[in-house]
Amino acid sequence: MRTLGRNDPCHCGSGKKYKKCHLDADQRNHATTRPSQPEPESDSPPDSESPSAFFDVRKLPMLLQRLSKQGPAREREKFGELLLQAQPVLEYMAHQAEIEAAGKALEAHRSEFEKLLADEDRFLPLAQSLFSEECFAPLRFSASDVQNAFAHVGYPAMTSPDDQTVETLRAAILHVANKERRSDLSMRLLLRLPEFVAAGRYFEAWLVQSAAYETAENGDKSNMFLFQMFSYGYDAWAADKRAKDESLLRELGLDPDALPSMSLDDLDSWMQSQTSDPANTRAMEEFFRKNPHLREESVANLEAMERNSPKLLEREESRFLHLPVEEVQPWLALFNERASQGGFPSDTPSKESARKYFDEVALPLMREMAASIFTPERIRQLIADLKKYRSDLFAAGDKASASQVMGAINYLMREDSPGDNTFLLTLCWKSLDSAIRVTTAEAAAD
């Protein structure tokens, strides 16, 4: 509403001039409702002709604090929330001159910092040590931040990490560090800049300033600072998950402390007893119903184990799993026949021609081979061989490889289409490759 002049019609609608109607009453009401706190002192008297003369940005935080204590309770609550969100901006505005002065002081140390950036052995430990300091604790992500991110982007497979696990973690970091969060973090980082410069910690100050700018400007990328802030939330999230996992095991009658001393045969026996006991099955289903994210994470881990299982066949000691040469020979002859008909790529084929050849010649043959050789009985025998291999790896302390074997076992146990099983296709390909090498060696000897 515009301000009424003394000679304007009164706002009550009486038709009288404002000065002869409600002016005196309005002035009395204004006097009684005016805040009792004294107005902040100003360096110079305000000039009514210039609105900017009475607006001092340094006094804005105090003014907003006063406004948050006035009016109805609901309005005060909403205003308080807005004030909390705006706090980093207000603090930055209040200290902007100090931050800019600290940034100028750092320029004298730019060349030394650029040398540090080029020395990864020095740079990474310094950055990790810096952002683990307690002054950055308020900027760390929480377990709930991490949980919400995983619920949005999917769960990482930490028991069998691969490239997809890395991509999932990157997506989770970017989900937590959205545009608003990045802006907040950047300003909070810069607020710490003057104290590091004042303490003569110029390398650390450069890291803080660099992290602030990277966080604010590169919205589609993670960085060392964001990764470390995320890692604190992840550790808290993982600790909560472990506690829930142990709770489930106790509900099912297994002491978590006994797990390290159990053999794989013991674990297999226990798992079989769980699946054969309806009461335990119901208890497990109820637990996952109450903790759906644990089920999703278990599925992600299982899928990653299966996805990584073909890597097992790259190990030299896994050659005992390969198909016998005499069994592969007929398929090798068929492979050579189709290769000659399909136009085998040159000695230095392009990626496109090699991919086309694999898709049109090699892969169809592998599918036929796997579907023909791996009958249900043959798959059961392969699973038995894999279980023995898994036990040997587990006993040797190679749990990463043992998990790959476990992934292959799980993959095969629910297989009803051998021609589509990546592990079996890889096994056929490796067996063909071995047969080619043997044949080539024999020909060279002759």
Side-chain angles (χ1 to χ4, degrees):
M1 294 178 60
R2 68 181 182 86
T3 302
L4 290 176
R6 292 172 58 83
N7 293 316
D8 289 335
C10 185
H11 57 72
C12 70
S14 64
K16 298 179 181 179
K17 291 184 178 181
Y18 182 43
K19 65 182 180 181
K20 294 185 177 181
C21 193
H22 275 84
L23 175 61
D24 292 340
D26 286 349
Q27 287 178 337
R28 286 195 300 272
N29 289 335
H30 178 69
T32 58
T33 58
R34 183 181 301 169
S36 58
Q37 295 92 332
E39 293 294 330
E41 294 182 3
S42 176
D43 296 332
S44 59
D47 179 2
S48 59
E49 298 295 325
S50 174
S52 62
F54 58 79
F55 182 77
D56 186 347
V57 73
R58 294 170 298 178
K59 297 174 182 177
L60 183 59
M62 182 170 59
L63 175 61
L64 292 175
Q65 290 282 2
R66 287 174 53 191
L67 290 174
S68 68
K69 298 176 183 178
Q70 300 175 8
R74 187 175 179 182
E75 296 297 328
R76 292 200 307 270
E77 182 180 350
K78 289 182 178 179
F79 197 88
E81 292 174 358
L82 292 173
L83 183 61
L84 184 63
Q85 294 173 7
Q87 196 64 34
V89 179
L90 299 177
E91 288 186 42
Y92 181 85
M93 291 167 63
H95 297 88
Q96 187 171 1
E98 301 169 48
I99 294 169
E100 291 175 354
K104 289 179 181 178
L106 279 181
E107 286 301 317
H109 306 274
R110 177 182 288 276
S111 60
E112 295 96 325
F113 180 68
E114 290 175 347
K115 291 178 183 177
L116 174 66
L117 282 177
D119 188 349
E120 194 171 284
D121 292 338
R122 288 179 58 212
F123 169 73
L124 291 179
L126 180 62
Q128 291 170 347
S129 174
L130 169 65
F131 293 126
S132 65
E133 293 184 20
E134 197 59 27
C135 65
F136 297 106
L139 311 188
R140 296 170 184 169
F141 301 157
S142 66
S144 61
D145 287 332
V146 173
Q147 172 56 40
N148 291 336
F150 287 156
H152 183 80
V153 306
Y155 289 82
M158 301 309 295
T159 58
S160 186
D162 56 6
D163 291 344
Q164 188 164 325
T165 302
V166 174
E167 179 57 30
T168 300
L169 289 173
R170 188 190 74 84
I173 292 173
L174 295 181
H175 180 77
V176 177
N178 56 25
K179 183 177 180 181
E180 293 74 18
R181 189 76 171 265
R182 282 175 175 268
S183 176
D184 178 271
L185 290 170
S186 178
M187 284 185 287
R188 290 182 184 275
L189 279 168
L190 290 174
L191 282 168
R192 308 236 67 96
L193 191 62
E195 65 187 69
F196 280 98
V197 172
R201 300 177 64 183
Y202 302 117
F203 284 165
E204 289 90 340
W206 263 110
L207 283 171
V208 169
Q209 180 175 259
S210 177
Y213 292 151
E214 283 185 26
T215 300
E217 295 170 4
N218 299 324
D220 59 343
K221 295 181 182 178
S222 180
N223 57 52
M224 168 68 73
F225 166 71
L226 291 176
F227 178 83
Q228 192 145 341
M229 296 302 101
F230 184 87
S231 70
Y232 285 101
Y234 179 84
D235 289 344
W237 174 84
D240 179 63
K241 176 190 169 301
R242 281 194 299 272
K244 290 180 177 178
D245 288 344
E246 292 176 359
S247 173
L248 172 61
L249 291 174
R250 290 191 177 93
E251 286 183 28
L252 298 176
L254 180 63
D255 181 4
D257 296 331
L259 277 176
S261 61
M262 293 177 69
S263 68
L264 284 177
D265 291 337
D266 293 335
L267 289 171
D268 283 344
S269 177
W270 180 79
M271 287 297 296
Q272 289 173 5
S273 69
Q274 297 306 305
T275 54
S276 61
D277 186 339
N280 283 337
T281 302
R282 286 194 297 271
M284 188 177 296
E285 286 298 321
E286 178 62 16
F287 180 85
F288 282 123
R289 187 187 66 78
K290 293 179 180 178
N291 301 277
H293 65 282
L294 293 180
R295 183 192 295 277
E296 292 177 32
E297 188 196 353
S298 298
V299 170
N301 278 315
L302 182 60
E303 290 176 347
M305 288 168 63
E306 295 179 358
R307 194 166 55 243
N308 292 332
S309 62
K311 295 179 181 178
L312 181 72
L313 299 171
E314 298 173 4
R315 301 168 65 98
E316 185 63 28
E317 66 268 24
S318 71
R319 290 176 62 86
F320 76 94
L321 296 171
H322 292 188
L323 299 170
V325 174
E326 58 271 16
E327 188 175 24
V328 176
Q329 284 293 354
W331 295 98
L332 180 57
L334 183 57
F335 177 74
N336 289 331
E337 178 185 338
R338 293 185 182 179
S340 61
Q341 294 174 352
F344 194 83
S346 62
D347 291 339
T348 55
S350 65
K351 285 185 178 180
E352 293 74 14
S353 63
R355 167 57 65 182
K356 181 180 179 182
Y357 178 79
F358 180 82
D359 290 342
E360 295 180 358
V361 178
L363 185 56
L365 180 73
M366 297 304 104
R367 294 190 188 281
E368 292 176 36
M369 187 176 175
S372 174
I373 292 175
F374 289 104
T375 62
E377 177 58 35
R378 190 67 175 273
I379 289 178
R380 283 193 290 271
Q381 181 58 51
L382 179 57
I383 289 174
D385 293 339
L386 284 167
K387 285 185 175 180
K388 184 180 183 306
Y389 185 30
R390 181 193 60 172
S391 296
D392 293 341
L393 290 170
F394 192 85
D398 190 352
K399 295 183 178 180
S401 298
S403 72
Q404 289 180 346
V405 181
M406 193 67 235
I409 293 171
N410 289 335
Y411 199 179
L412 293 172
M413 287 181 71
R414 58 183 182 80
E415 185 53 72
D416 57 3
S417 179
D420 295 323
N421 186 292
T422 307
F423 182 81
L424 294 178
L425 293 176
T426 306
L427 180 55
C428 289
W429 180 258
K430 290 290 184 181
S431 299
L432 268 176
D433 182 64
S434 294
I436 291 172
R437 293 174 188 277
V438 169
T439 303
T440 303
E442 290 176 351
D446 291 341

